[in-house]
Amino acid sequence: MTGENIVINVENVTFTYSGSKTPALTDINLKIREGERVLITGHAGAGKTTLCRLFNGLIPHFFRGKLKGDVYVKEYNTKRYDVSFLSHMVGMLFQDPASQLIAPTVEDELAFGAENYGVPPEEIRRRIEIYLEVLRLKEYREQNPHFLSGGQQQACALGSVLVMGSEILVLDEPTSNLDPIGTFQVFKLLNELSQRERKTLILVEHKLEELLPFVDRVIVLKKGEMVFDGKPYELIHREDLEELGIRIPQVTALARRLKQKIPEISIPMTLDEAYTTFEKIITKKNINREKCEEVAKNYIANKYTKYKGEASGEEPIIETVNLTHIYPGGTVAIRDVSLKIYDGEFIAIIGQNGSGKTTLVKHFNGLLLPTEGKVYVFGKDTTEASIIELSKNVGYVFQNPDFQICTRKVREELEFGLRNLNLPEEEIEKRVEEVTKALHLEDVLEENPFSLSKGERQKVVVASILAMKPKVLIVDEPTTGQDYRTSRDMMDFYKKLNDEGKTIIVITHDMELAAEYASRVIVLNYGRVLLDGPTPEVFTQIETLREAFLKPPQVTLLADKLNKYGIPKEILTIDAMYECLEKSLGGI
Amino acid sequence: MAFEYVKGDTLFHKFDPRVKLLLAATIIIMAVGFTDPIWLIIVFSFLIFLILYCKLRPGEIVSFLKNLSPLAAMYFIFNLLFPMIKFEETTTLFTFLGFVVTLEALVWAIGALIRFVTILVVIRIVLMLTPIRDIILSLVKFRLPPEFAIAMSIGLAYLPVLVDENRKIKEALMSKGWDYRFRNPIKRFRALFMQMLIPSILNSMRRTEDIALAITARGFGYNLRARTFLHEIKYTKKDYVASVILIIISALAIYIGWFTNLAEYTFTLTLLKSGVIQSIIQRIMELIPWI
């Protein structure tokens, strides 16, 4: 596939953003050939986005700083050609889809780039029709893209780049807002583009599961340095893989861990490879089925202890009765939902884009009131209680922290909610001190929240809500766009709060994290509850999940496939699988 | 929400956007030129016809008018009590709190009210029947440089977004126990304005940067003169016919409105005084039991 022509050439580049002391990229040398499919990955802040900005001249023309070395797109030195010229060859999709949508309708959005390059209208029309179809946007063509769901916005932004027809595509996290099936479709489309039109693809992603089998080459960045550049196959065999701070496929991680005990195990990259690998091992090592089942059972019993359900006999703290919500435009967002949430649960709400997750939780603190049905929060009908009253008990962290920050100092931000509660001054001071300690905000207390990174801003918002000491904490997609380690740190923090007695409700797209942390999972689909139960029960219903465009964790899919060899289906995490295999396989 | 195009495939939808703008202009000329309620009602009933013909949801227009009603009411009362012209003779109807309400002023104020509503409704209808894109394209045809046209298009696309964002910020603040619903309007305004100002401004600043980045990376400014437009607008035969008719109507309206007193408030007044209107109303009342 790969031609000999070098289309992007980065020579000895070191770049430091103005106002920063440490370089964002150090000593980068990189040649990308025509038709190559390159994955750039690494932890948050590793310099992935900065590297992308070099490819179309945004650095140095748009983002100022000290640039050493040269970048060439074909024969053009990016220092001497401007962004709009370079973008003709290098189409770039930015991370946050909403921030790059500018047109009044989806159709205009898709046309914008091609119009700028003077593509004849008939040709633009032809391309638009193709991409509207594959991106599932046909019926939205006349709508304002800003009012589409997050996933559709991302599809629209991607389409706007594709219609330009650039031969090199740089896509910065093109699927961060997509459900698993949407993600799969986007990669399928990119695969076709690369094969049929020999486009060069440069992708930035955290999720390697879908991508590793798809790319020719992986580049791993760590703290601004290139620490790996090679084939995916080489990457998964690297000794120091765990130290690179990237999220490898679950089956790969599992096999690598087992390798210490079973040296002959081969390291798989995909689910199918994993099946072959583990089938071989299991049959060879004579699995002890009873033992395996027992280990899994114990593991599950110890892990998902917070599930309560009707059988507990407790009074629910939040209850919805036949809740239906219809937005003023007539969209039915929630249909006939009856749920009971109990004190101390850790709940994950999952569902495809636009399935009504956010609409549902907004009923829990009175931001939305039911169109039909009732919502009771701590026994109170929400139509009769004020939001202020409800917010004392139910804290809500928005998906976008920026909407929730309203002062110019972190300290004031933490005090804001407390002042609304009319607490005495000493109490306010005490609580601010508590949350500052709990979330390690000591160093930024006097800073302007808007000068912090997105992750830190989110922390500030969480702190400001926690200071109000709500009994229930709702967090809307806390880990979207965060790397694996940060995501886990955040979830660990919520877990700790949960262990201390708080009820946690998390909306998430990340099935692995839901499986790892939640004791109960609620699946929404088209505004209805599709599944609701203990985490292992929900994630083993693979077919039903598929209906909702969802997929259980990879390791669960593996367990399902290996079920005939005695592996219990309810295995949801790498740890569980590892423990089962370790204790039940003969001779290790 | 403002600026929302309502799809349809009536003849009116198919007109070139410039014809639609011309229609709006014609109606506005008539509304400004005429001061007589009956003439204005005829103009306004054309708008009602247009709403029905283009299958717009009347509910949306009604709620639009409802939002405007305080303003319209103020405008009406102002014209009733302080009419802009001097009447030749006055017939006092009643006195209210020391203000003398005359028949002439009442007729004048009713005319003013209909004019006010007509102008707003026609703008609203034309916006509902014309995609933003078409308005922008018309402006480009009227020789507005494409940069400005695109800047305007982005601005218009963002208008509903800003409204939505304000709602989100308000919701986010309310989730932190914030209450802006003070009885005192000054306090309320202060709370709303001051608290929402910071997130709004900072978000807008960030957004400006994002937009600049997004449009540059999609080749904006590459070669403005060679830029193509996906949607071309083109005058066809029906557009020429419609334009000619509209221009004739406008000319007539200007003639009647400014150079004769046919459409002045005195028209209704004379009819009222001669008892014609009363007898028509009486006839209608007699007919109602029949229907």
Side-chain angles (χ1 to χ4, degrees):
Chain A
M1 277 318 299
T2 314
E4 281 311 300
N5 301 334
I6 291 169
V7 288
I8 286 180
N9 187 0
V10 181
E11 280 180 354
N12 304 318
V13 164
T14 296
F15 180 73
T16 315
Y17 285 103
S18 59
S20 166
K21 283 188 198 86
T22 44
L25 290 174
T26 317
D27 238 343
I28 304 287
N29 277 293
L30 180 64
K31 286 183 173 60
I32 294 173
R33 288 166 207 288
E34 188 185 352
E36 233 179 343
R37 296 184 283 196
V38 185
L39 167 68
I40 300 174
T41 190
H43 62 91
K48 304 183 293 290
T49 300
T50 309
L51 183 58
C52 289
R53 286 171 180 163
L54 288 174
F55 299 151
N56 67 347
L58 283 177
I59 293 175
H61 300 296
F62 216 93
F63 293 94
R64 304 278 161 176
K66 222 166 82 195
L67 174 65
K68 261 191 264 168
D70 289 291
V71 181
Y72 296 90
V73 176
K74 294 183 172 172
E75 67 267 36
Y76 306 101
N77 187 327
T78 56
K79 282 181 186 157
R80 282 196 281 278
Y81 292 88
D82 65 16
V83 178
S84 67
F85 174 80
L86 295 165
S87 295
H88 206 172
M89 297 174 282
V90 186
M92 182 174 299
L93 175 75
F94 299 97
Q95 236 178 58
D96 176 14
S99 74
Q100 54 196 303
L101 300 172
I102 45 110
T105 70
V106 169
E107 214 175 78
D108 292 306
E109 190 69 54
L110 261 56
F112 184 79
E115 289 176 332
N116 287 329
Y117 289 117
V119 178
E122 319 76 71
E123 173 60 17
I124 301 181
R125 164 75 46 215
R126 193 186 66 81
R127 293 184 194 170
I128 287 180
E129 293 308 320
I130 295 173
Y131 292 120
L132 281 177
E133 180 79 49
V134 277
L135 295 167
R136 292 189 284 172
L137 288 172
K138 241 187 163 132
E139 52 197 296
Y140 306 102
R141 63 164 77 208
E142 289 294 336
Q143 284 188 24
N144 188 325
H146 288 281
F147 292 109
L148 301 176
S149 75
Q152 289 163 340
Q153 287 186 347
Q154 195 151 39
C156 183
L158 177 62
S160 73
V161 176
L162 294 177
V163 172
M164 277 164 62
S166 321
E167 53 208 286
I168 304 162
L169 294 172
V170 181
L171 312 175
D172 197 347
E173 297 193 29
T175 63
S176 57
N177 285 283
L178 296 181
D179 48 54
I181 304 290
T183 304
F184 173 76
Q185 274 165 339
V186 165
F187 289 146
K188 208 177 111 201
L189 168 67
L190 293 176
N191 194 21
E192 279 169 26
L193 283 173
S194 115
Q195 280 181 352
R196 212 180 38 224
E197 299 174 30
R198 286 177 57 84
K199 292 211 191 276
T200 308
L201 296 178
I202 301 170
L203 297 149
V204 174
E205 266 296 346
H206 293 301
K207 294 186 268 185
L208 301 194
E209 195 179 301
E210 285 90 356
L211 264 179
L212 270 190
F214 166 77
V215 296
D216 311 311
R217 178 174 172 190
V218 186
I219 288 163
V220 183
L221 294 175
K222 192 179 176 184
K223 291 185 186 152
E225 283 176 56
M226 234 163 78
V227 288
F228 177 84
D229 178 5
K231 292 195 162 37
Y233 172 81
E234 291 161 16
L235 176 71
I236 59 170
H237 286 91
R238 275 277 283 226
E239 291 268 320
D240 60 348
L241 183 56
E242 280 74 16
E243 285 141 44
L244 298 179
I246 56 175
R247 184 175 187 173
I248 52 175
Q250 283 194 314
V251 292
T252 311
L254 176 68
R256 284 178 62 96
R257 254 168 87 178
L258 278 168
K259 203 170 176 72
Q260 287 154 6
K261 303 267 170 138
I262 315 168
E264 71 267 34
I265 196 168
S266 62
I267 308 292
M269 202 153 61
T270 64
L271 185 59
D272 291 334
E273 282 174 29
Y275 176 66
T276 326
T277 305
F278 285 94
E279 188 188 31
K280 219 182 280 167
I281 294 291
I282 289 168
T283 41
K284 208 171 110 195
K285 297 269 180 191
N286 283 328
I287 190 165
N288 180 341
R289 287 183 175 232
E290 288 79 41
K291 181 79 188 164
C292 185
E293 224 152 273
E294 192 197 312
V295 174
K297 206 178 252 171
N298 281 336
Y299 189 90
I300 289 161
N302 288 328
K303 187 165 178 75
Y304 305 103
T305 50
K306 297 282 171 61
Y307 184 78
K308 285 194 173 159
E310 204 94 39
S312 70
E314 277 184 36
E315 276 293 306
I317 51 172
I318 296 176
E319 184 176 4
T320 72
V321 185
N322 304 110
L323 167 66
T324 294
H325 191 90
I326 305 172
Y327 280 113
T331 323
V332 186
I334 292 288
R335 296 165 206 260
D336 198 23
V337 168
S338 295
L339 283 174
K340 286 187 173 126
I341 290 167
Y342 298 92
D343 190 27
E345 286 193 301
F346 195 126
I347 300 176
I349 300 182
I350 60 177
Q352 61 165 317
N353 302 117
S355 57
K357 305 182 289 287
T358 301
T359 308
L360 176 65
V361 298
K362 278 188 181 168
H363 283 86
F364 298 165
N365 76 341
L367 278 180
L368 290 177
L369 295 174
T371 314
E372 279 164 45
K374 291 264 177 219
V375 178
Y376 299 97
V377 176
F378 289 94
K380 247 200 189 123
D381 186 335
T382 54
T383 49
E384 281 152 27
S386 68
I387 299 176
I388 290 90
E389 223 173 300
L390 293 169
S391 66
K392 274 184 218 164
N393 282 326
V394 184
Y396 181 21
V397 181
F398 276 57
Q399 191 178 346
N400 183 347
D402 296 347
F403 290 134
Q404 237 162 335
I405 292 176
C406 54
T407 61
R408 273 159 292 184
K409 226 187 221 181
V410 172
R411 181 190 291 280
E412 287 170 25
E413 198 55 44
L414 301 182
E415 290 168 353
F416 180 75
L418 303 173
R419 296 204 190 282
N420 289 330
L421 296 181
N422 285 325
L423 293 175
E425 211 51 44
E426 7 359 321
E427 178 69 17
I428 291 179
E429 210 165 294
K430 207 182 106 210
R431 288 202 190 180
V432 167
E433 202 173 309
E434 273 172 27
V435 288
T436 309
K437 236 183 225 157
L439 278 122
H440 310 294
L441 291 170
E442 292 91 346
D443 295 340
V444 297
L445 215 47
E446 305 302 323
E447 303 248 344
N448 184 335
F450 282 94
S451 65
L452 305 176
S453 77
K454 190 165 180 175
E456 283 175 311
R457 290 205 295 276
Q458 190 155 30
K459 230 157 105 182
V460 171
V461 171
V462 172
S464 73
I465 302 246
L466 281 178
M468 294 168 75
K469 296 199 173 163
K471 295 194 185 94
V472 181
L473 187 65
I474 303 171
V475 209
D476 201 342
E477 297 199 25
T479 60
T480 301
Q482 309 276 2
D483 66 30
Y484 192 47
R485 199 160 292 169
T486 320
S487 299
R488 286 201 75 116
D489 285 349
M490 278 164 103
M491 294 302 280
D492 280 335
F493 174 72
Y494 294 126
K495 178 97 179 70
K496 203 175 123 238
L497 290 174
N498 181 241
D499 289 339
E500 288 163 12
K502 278 204 194 337
T503 308
I504 307 282
I505 302 172
V506 177
I507 294 180
T508 184
H509 276 300
D510 195 317
M511 302 302 138
E512 280 179 42
L513 291 178
E516 176 78 44
Y517 290 94
S519 52
R520 171 180 173 188
V521 174
I522 298 170
V523 183
L524 288 183
N525 196 28
Y526 300 114
R528 286 181 205 279
V529 175
L530 186 69
L531 292 168
D532 175 10
T535 311
E537 229 168 74
V538 169
F539 277 125
T540 41
Q541 308 199 40
I542 298 171
E543 280 311 308
T544 318
L545 287 172
R546 204 187 307 266
E547 255 174 64
F549 294 95
L550 300 172
K551 223 167 61 175
Q554 200 183 24
V555 67
T556 309
L557 292 172
L558 180 65
D560 184 69
K561 281 183 163 227
L562 293 171
N563 187 248
K564 56 182 175 235
Y565 297 105
I567 304 286
K569 286 183 174 185
E570 292 83 10
I571 287 179
L572 306 185
T573 60
I574 301 177
D575 286 346
M577 186 66 121
Y578 180 77
E579 212 167 301
C580 278
L581 290 174
E582 190 201 16
K583 293 197 172 131
S584 64
L585 289 181
I588 59 169
Chain B
M1 197 138 300
F3 303 109
E4 213 163 320
Y5 174 58
V6 182
K7 241 179 144 167
D9 54 353
T10 62
L11 175 67
F12 189 81
H13 278 92
K14 288 188 193 116
F15 276 126
D16 187 281
R18 283 163 287 181
V19 175
K20 298 179 191 173
L21 294 178
L22 188 57
L23 174 90
T26 309
I27 301 273
I28 291 171
I29 287 172
M30 290 200 273
V32 174
F34 303 166
T35 54
D36 182 73
I38 293 180
W39 284 73
L40 286 165
I41 283 174
I42 295 169
V43 175
F44 187 73
S45 38
F46 174 73
L47 293 185
I48 294 175
F49 161 76
L50 203 60
I51 291 171
L52 297 176
Y53 176 70
C54 296
K55 301 196 179 65
L56 295 177
R57 264 175 296 167
E60 234 166 281
I61 310 277
V62 171
S63 76
F64 170 68
L65 285 177
K66 229 186 242 168
N67 289 338
L68 281 173
S69 55
L71 214 61
M74 265 167 59
Y75 190 67
F76 175 73
I77 291 168
F78 187 80
N79 271 288
L80 184 64
L81 303 180
F82 314 104
M84 283 189 292
I85 51 164
K86 271 217 148 62
F87 303 111
E88 285 158 25
E89 46 179 317
T90 53
T91 325
T92 305
L93 288 177
F94 56 87
T95 342
F96 179 70
L97 293 174
F99 289 106
V100 182
V101 176
T102 64
L103 178 66
E104 288 74 15
L106 184 65
V107 172
W108 168 264
I110 291 174
L113 178 66
I114 303 173
R115 173 188 316 139
F116 182 81
V117 171
T118 306
I119 292 175
L120 289 169
V121 169
V122 74
I123 292 173
R124 172 80 178 155
I125 292 179
V126 168
L127 285 177
M128 282 170 92
L129 294 172
T130 323
I132 299 173
R133 164 213 304 149
D134 284 4
I135 296 175
I136 304 294
L137 285 173
S138 315
L139 293 176
V140 173
K141 291 273 172 186
F142 291 139
R143 311 247 161 225
L144 187 77
E147 306 87 301
F148 285 108
I150 282 156
M152 257 185 80
S153 148
I154 294 172
L156 288 173
Y158 264 100
L159 213 67
V161 179
L162 290 180
V163 173
D164 190 60
E165 191 178 283
N166 265 3
R167 183 186 54 79
K168 275 191 193 146
I169 293 174
K170 209 191 277 178
E171 278 185 353
L173 290 173
M174 279 161 80
S175 311
K176 291 215 249 173
W178 173 70
D179 197 347
Y180 65 91
R181 283 166 297 185
F182 291 106
R183 281 282 167 82
N184 180 339
I186 295 171
K187 251 184 159 178
R188 182 181 170 133
F189 176 78
R190 236 183 87 92
L192 258 174
F193 189 72
M194 293 313 289
Q195 265 329 316
M196 297 199 33
L197 198 64
I198 292 170
S200 303
I201 289 182
L202 285 161
N203 274 315
S204 312
M205 271 162 56
R206 192 161 298 159
R207 172 157 299 143
T208 319
E209 205 169 282
D210 286 343
I211 292 173
L213 208 66
I215 63 174
T216 321
R218 281 201 263 152
F220 183 65
Y222 177 67
N223 184 353
L224 277 171
R225 251 174 268 156
R227 191 182 197 276
T228 47
F229 288 88
L230 173 64
H231 298 271
E232 277 296 330
I233 48 173
K234 223 177 168 178
Y235 250 58
T236 58
K237 205 170 147 199
K238 65 171 187 305
D239 297 311
Y240 283 112
V241 175
S243 307
V244 170
I245 296 173
L246 285 172
I247 289 169
I248 292 172
I249 295 176
S250 300
L252 266 174
I254 290 171
Y255 176 71
I256 295 172
W258 275 274
F259 300 102
T260 72
N261 56 4
L262 259 179
E264 262 171 46
Y265 74 101
T266 43
F267 182 79
T268 304
L269 210 59
T270 328
L271 290 180
L272 267 176
K273 283 186 178 160
S274 63
V276 176
I277 291 178
Q278 286 90 329
S279 71
I280 291 176
I281 291 174
Q282 214 169 2
R283 278 285 164 76
I284 294 171
M285 294 308 261
E286 280 165 16
L287 276 172
I288 285 172
W290 286 91
I291 303 163

